Amino acid sequence: MAKGIHQEIIGRPHNLLEHYQPIDGVVDEMVDASGNPRPVWKDFIEALEGLGPEKLAQRFARADQYLRDAGVYYRLYDQAGANEREWPLAHVPVLIEEQEWAAISAGLVQRAELFEETIADIYGANDLVEKGILPAGLIAASPEYLRPVVGTRPASGHFLHFCAFELGRGPDGRWWVLGDRTQAPSGAGFALENRVATTRALSDIYGEMHVHRLAGFFRRFRDALNGMAKASGGRVAILTPGPLNETHYEHAYIARYLGIMLLEGEDLTVSGGRLMVRTVSGLAPVSVLWRRLDAAFADPLELRPDSQIGTPGLVEAIRRGAVSAVNALGSGLMETRALFAFLPKISRELRNEELLLPSVATWWCGRDADRDHVLANLDRMVIGPALSPRLAFEDDDCTRLGSALVAGERAELIARIERDGGAFVGQEAVTLSTTPVYVGGRLEPRPAALRVYLARTPEGWTVMPGGFARVGFSLDPTAIAMQRGGQAADVWVVSDRPVERETLLPQEHDSFNRTSPGSLPSRAAENLTWLGRYIERSEDTVRILRAYHVRLAEASDPDMPLLADIRDYLEPFGIDVAAAIPPGLIATLDSAVYSAGQIRDRFSPDGWLALNDLSKTIHQFATTVAPGDDATRAMTVILRKLAGFSGLLHENMYRFTGWRFLEIGRRLERGIQIARTLARLTGAAAPEGALDMMLEIGDSVMTHRRQYPVQAGRRTVIDLLVLDPLNPRSILFQLERLKAEIALLPSIGGEGHMSQAAKEILQLNTAIAIKEPADMTAQALDDLASEIGGLYNSLAKAYFG
């Protein structure tokens, strides 16, 4: 470690290894059998010790704050249902020497190639089954063996493009493969966030150590996907099960990071044998689909008929070679736990090679010799379902440790294995190596497993130099599973010499193309429109409530006509002013958060942070704020945060088609709300003080004083809030903006053809522009609100269908 770090960090030194107690019989990643730091860890530990406990705690808190600000979460499923859990970062990274990583990489590349050849055989010639190397019954019984794609050769020429492998280090110091991930490997995006958060905390240490960067891995894979799409004349898309998936945050993060469309099954359709995405410009071809959902759910027409997240006809498009699935449908078969028992022989048969990285020892009880061995050695075995893709220490509910069985359980399990051996595998009990975690100001060992990612490029497989480690929150190896409270740590592959500082940015000589403005998926456009509407609806409600509570605080009679009128006006919209923060207002803002969550890949971290801050504020106020002065102040805070969020979007969002739909949503809702409120507060039966309240709600008090040298009257209020084209709160201003933005939307029906929405807004804008204040009766204003609302229906029919 360079001396520069120790010159820069100032803290109270402490010995992190003083109380560190490695576990007997278990390899520790940080220290050797004598308790001395391994060479790759030595400088790192010295740097941590130099920081001192206070500064180290501050550093790790900085990493946690970054993850909260970025909104990184993992969806946890338990007895209470699904809930979002803050990303559980283990702050101390796992360090691995470059030379050791090279050996791991070579073994995994060999394994990926073996899997490619095995899948090609199973769905093709089927020689492995014919020769008796793979049992036909085992393959046929797997739910991941998809008969509809048998005989289908992938359009790309490859079944596998992106894989992950779970690794654990055994007591002998060797790395073993604990599990294979070929279906839809998750975690690569979280690995990036782990790296960002960890380097936020330890930037000086990271900068001095020669740690391999991750960006180059993602750049090469992105370029490979784009190259495949370019060759077939289509687009690349990521297919997600949707926001309720446990790793949806990662799907959105990767899509945003790589600049790839994030789609759900309903965004896609098959037309003329080609896979198409519904965009605001019509159907557009997708030729590379990086799927993040299990294959069985991909096509309800030919696979699982109960799937609500797939695309009917997708299998047929794949058969025709019109789309490359990454990974190919059916490739999840290689995750089957029982296949571990056959891989050594398959490797010798297909590649004439021994496995460089062995799998955890596995016996399939469907073979007599294997079943007899498992039963004879039950106390040393972990017994689990043969067809499960999960790791032995993850599958608590279905997996049993032989040595932990009581007499009755043991007899029952033996009987089941003898009766239906093909349903079970026996695996050697896993003893994982430990890695340090920082707990209460000291380092403690915890079991850990690595997940390493491989991506196919035109030059062959490339290995992510790091990946992430799953680390237990206790010494129980089952505690590393994320659903059981496990943590995630960054993995640093450390070189003894400087490494290339790779980024995702293109090189100077690289060619580029701008994304077509009309490539916005219809569902994303609809959610952007509703986000704009919900935010504007929230703002209007808050302005009305603030005006109400100002007067409530000043009134001697809470039943005065103006307050009673506002209560009656708000009631049909679900706004009960009896609560300082009405549930109806909270529901509207929650709807905005939901709409934003549907298009999270299109949101900047700052925008998401601002929206979540707004949501947290209003939920907090709901339990702490009282009507009157207290509510008035709360509404001012909410308004300020609403304005901050809207301003952030307005100033920072690229003026592409998506922004136009967001803007259209805002203008539609503002026009509707202003018209409705005006109809109520400027009507003949409006109570005393209604006009002043209307100006306040319309944020036009000062403007009215400057524009009209008279006291507010119905005509001046109508003139300012309906007919003034320069007032950003007036209805005419909203119509002018709508006319301009709708005119710039992708043409429907060919160039030069005016859409129905464009015709309607032109007519409406012209009709209002020539009106006089006297023309705008309460009925006319209510009708105008309905006509503006009707514009949405025309837009929806044209662009969201």
Side-chain angles (χ1 to χ4, degrees):
M1 179 71 62
K3 291 183 179 179
I5 286 183
H6 297 292
Q7 292 169 350
E8 292 173 11
I9 56 181
I10 301 173
R12 178 166 56 85
H14 63 312
N15 188 347
L16 289 172
L17 299 183
E18 182 179 1
H19 302 289
Y20 193 77
Q21 295 291 333
I23 303 170
D24 291 340
V26 175
V27 172
D28 190 88
E29 297 297 328
M30 182 176 66
V31 300
D32 59 24
S34 302
N36 298 316
R38 300 182 188 278
V40 71
W41 285 87
K42 187 174 183 297
D43 289 340
F44 178 81
I45 294 300
E46 288 179 0
L48 289 189
E49 290 178 338
L51 285 168
E54 293 182 6
K55 283 193 175 294
L56 201 52
Q58 291 172 2
R59 296 288 194 92
F60 292 155
R62 185 188 305 167
D64 293 337
Q65 187 62 52
Y66 162 76
L67 292 170
R68 284 192 292 271
D69 289 348
V72 185
Y73 72 90
Y74 183 84
R75 195 174 297 280
L76 182 67
Y77 298 96
D78 53 26
Q79 293 180 344
N83 56 84
E84 292 183 4
R85 175 191 179 194
E86 289 187 0
W87 185 245
L89 178 69
H91 302 99
V92 179
V94 178
L95 275 56
I96 299 178
E97 291 179 329
E98 182 183 53
Q99 187 174 359
E100 183 175 22
W101 192 260
I104 292 172
S105 299
L108 294 182
V109 168
Q110 179 204 47
R111 194 176 186 90
E113 291 289 3
L114 175 63
F115 279 20
E116 174 70 32
E117 294 181 31
T118 303
I119 298 172
D121 177 79
I122 291 173
Y123 286 100
N126 222 4
D127 291 334
L128 292 172
V129 170
E130 186 175 338
K131 293 178 180 180
I133 296 172
L134 271 177
L138 175 64
I139 300 302
S142 172
E144 295 303 329
Y145 178 64
L146 304 183
R147 289 172 178 80
V149 296
V150 171
T152 301
R153 186 69 182 170
S156 67
H158 298 287
F159 288 84
L160 298 177
H161 296 268
F162 194 84
C163 306
F165 300 97
E166 304 278 355
L167 304 181
R169 193 197 295 272
D172 61 356
R174 299 178 64 192
W175 289 99
W176 295 75
V177 178
L178 308 176
D180 305 299
R181 296 288 177 259
T182 55
Q183 173 78 266
S186 64
F190 290 124
L192 279 169
E193 288 286 35
N194 287 345
R195 175 61 54 89
V196 174
T198 303
T199 53
R200 286 282 180 99
L202 306 173
S203 56
D204 41 11
I205 301 174
Y206 179 81
E208 292 287 347
M209 298 184 73
H210 305 312
V211 182
H212 283 271
R213 271 53 175 178
L214 304 182
F217 171 83
F218 288 97
R219 187 189 70 245
R220 286 185 281 274
F221 185 51
R222 178 201 62 189
D223 293 346
L225 294 176
N226 287 334
M228 291 164 56
K230 186 177 181 180
S232 51
R235 292 166 169 76
V236 182
I238 296 175
L239 179 62
T240 175
L244 294 181
N245 183 261
E246 61 187 21
T247 57
H248 182 262
Y249 170 84
E250 182 207 6
H251 304 168
Y253 180 85
I254 286 288
R256 187 170 61 240
Y257 183 71
L258 299 182
I260 298 175
M261 281 195 298
L262 183 66
L263 304 177
E264 295 181 25
E266 65 181 283
D267 295 325
L268 295 164
T269 186
V270 175
S271 177
R274 296 202 68 181
L275 185 66
M276 313 291 279
V277 56
R278 297 181 176 93
T279 78
V280 294
S281 295
L283 298 180
V286 172
S287 57
V288 177
L289 192 65
W290 184 3
R291 63 178 180 87
R292 303 302 303 272
L293 80 169
D294 290 351
F297 293 91
D299 184 348
L301 196 62
E302 298 201 49
L303 299 172
R304 285 190 57 153
D306 60 336
S307 172
Q308 301 292 315
I309 56 178
T311 303
L314 177 59
V315 170
E316 179 60 23
I318 290 173
R319 280 199 206 99
R320 295 191 180 196
V323 61
S324 295
V326 176
N327 290 323
L329 299 184
S331 56
L333 178 66
M334 297 308 299
E335 297 185 1
T336 305
R337 194 183 295 181
L339 286 182
F340 274 25
F342 303 93
L343 287 179
K345 192 171 183 179
I346 292 174
S347 182
R348 290 190 288 270
E349 172 67 25
L350 295 181
R351 300 180 63 83
N352 195 29
E353 296 174 347
E354 297 296 328
L355 293 174
L356 297 176
L357 277 179
S359 309
V360 61
T362 303
W363 294 266
W364 178 52
C365 296
R367 296 188 294 190
D368 292 343
D370 283 18
R371 181 175 63 252
D372 293 343
H373 177 82
V374 169
L375 293 176
N377 297 275
L378 195 60
D379 287 341
R380 298 191 295 110
M381 294 283 177
V382 174
I383 310 300
L387 301 178
S388 173
R390 303 188 65 175
L391 278 63
F393 51 76
E394 289 182 327
D395 228 352
D396 279 12
D397 298 335
C398 303
T399 300
R400 296 291 181 267
L401 181 63
S403 61
L405 295 171
V406 298
E409 293 173 333
R410 184 185 182 90
E412 181 185 357
L413 181 59
I414 290 173
R416 291 178 64 193
I417 292 174
E418 289 177 338
R419 183 174 62 251
D420 187 16
F424 296 93
V425 293
Q427 292 185 300
E428 206 174 307
V430 175
T431 301
L432 297 174
S433 62
T434 56
T435 193
V437 297
Y438 194 73
V439 181
R442 57 194 287 183
L443 294 179
E444 295 183 4
R446 293 289 186 270
L450 301 185
R451 180 173 290 186
V452 186
Y453 299 89
L454 280 72
R456 186 184 293 281
T457 72
E459 292 74 36
W461 289 101
T462 182
V463 181
M464 183 193 294
F468 79 85
R470 295 195 292 167
V471 182
F473 69 90
S474 72
L475 292 176
D476 179 1
T478 65
I480 76 168
M482 301 299 288
Q483 288 290 340
R484 301 185 185 277
Q487 305 171 82
D490 193 13
V491 178
W492 291 6
V493 176
V494 183
S495 177
D496 58 3
R497 57 188 181 278
V499 298
E500 184 178 355
R501 295 180 178 271
E502 297 187 276
T503 72
L504 220 62
L505 297 175
Q507 302 300 312
E508 190 64 33
H509 60 274
D510 290 348
S511 61
F512 66 90
N513 291 304
R514 284 185 180 148
T515 302
S516 169
S519 61
L520 180 71
S522 297
R523 182 181 55 84
E526 185 174 14
N527 277 293
L528 283 164
T529 304
W530 275 106
L531 173 61
R533 292 194 66 171
Y534 285 132
I535 289 297
E536 195 62 40
R537 188 176 299 176
S538 298
E539 180 179 339
D540 179 77
T541 302
V542 169
R543 289 186 178 279
I544 294 175
L545 289 172
R546 185 173 67 169
Y548 174 87
H549 285 288
V550 165
R551 286 154 180 80
L552 180 64
E554 297 172 347
S556 57
D557 178 14
D559 292 323
M560 61 182 289
L562 180 57
L563 296 182
D565 195 60
I566 290 297
R567 288 196 292 270
D568 292 343
Y569 171 66
L570 291 174
E571 185 179 6
F573 303 113
I575 305 299
D576 181 3
V577 297
I581 308 294
L585 173 61
I586 297 174
T588 301
L589 195 57
D590 286 346
S591 295
V593 174
Y594 176 81
S595 293
Q598 299 290 311
I599 46 173
R600 185 134 183 203
D601 58 308
R602 297 177 181 274
F603 252 81
S604 70
D606 285 340
W608 187 256
L609 175 61
L611 184 57
N612 273 280
D613 178 57
L614 175 60
S615 177
K616 289 177 183 177
T617 298
I618 199 168
H619 279 87
Q620 181 183 359
F621 283 167
T623 60
T624 60
V625 171
D629 276 337
D630 206 18
T632 301
R633 288 190 294 271
M635 294 302 165
T636 300
V637 172
I638 295 170
L639 271 178
R640 188 169 65 244
K641 294 195 174 188
L642 277 164
F645 175 70
S646 297
L648 190 66
L649 294 185
H650 185 80
E651 293 299 324
N652 294 352
M653 199 169 178
Y654 185 77
R655 284 348 188 224
F656 75 129
T657 310
W659 180 86
R660 302 197 187 287
F661 280 101
L662 179 70
E663 180 72 357
I664 286 169
R666 290 181 61 208
R667 300 304 173 183
L668 281 172
E669 194 66 29
R670 184 174 292 184
I672 293 169
Q673 297 300 332
I674 288 290
R676 283 177 177 169
T677 312
L678 276 167
R680 183 68 175 227
L681 295 182
T682 65
E688 183 181 354
L691 294 178
D692 289 332
M693 179 181 271
M694 186 66 239
L695 288 174
E696 189 176 324
I697 293 169
D699 197 21
S700 296
V701 174
M702 296 299 295
T703 305
H704 186 277
R705 290 174 184 170
R706 288 195 303 266
Q707 294 291 96
Y708 306 96
V710 295
Q711 187 176 358
R714 185 180 188 280
R715 287 187 302 167
T716 60
V717 171
I718 292 290
D719 187 60
L720 182 61
L721 289 177
V722 178
L723 305 176
D724 191 334
L726 302 181
N727 183 6
R729 292 282 167 181
S730 78
I731 295 175
L732 184 58
F733 186 93
Q734 314 314 312
L735 298 179
E736 293 280 3
R737 295 303 308 149
L738 285 167
K739 183 178 71 171
E741 298 303 340
I742 290 174
L744 293 172
L745 292 179
S747 177
I748 300 296
E751 292 298 329
H753 179 81
M754 183 177 287
S755 68
Q756 181 62 32
K759 292 177 182 177
E760 290 176 10
I761 186 58
L762 180 60
Q763 292 172 341
L764 190 54
N765 183 67
T766 303
I768 298 302
I770 61 175
K771 294 290 186 184
E772 294 294 333
D775 299 327
M776 305 310 299
T777 63
Q779 184 60 54
L781 288 165
D782 277 332
D783 292 344
L784 178 57
S786 298
E787 289 181 85
I788 297 173
L791 286 172
Y792 175 82
N793 297 329
S794 297
L795 288 166
K797 184 177 180 181
Y799 296 104
F800 308 153

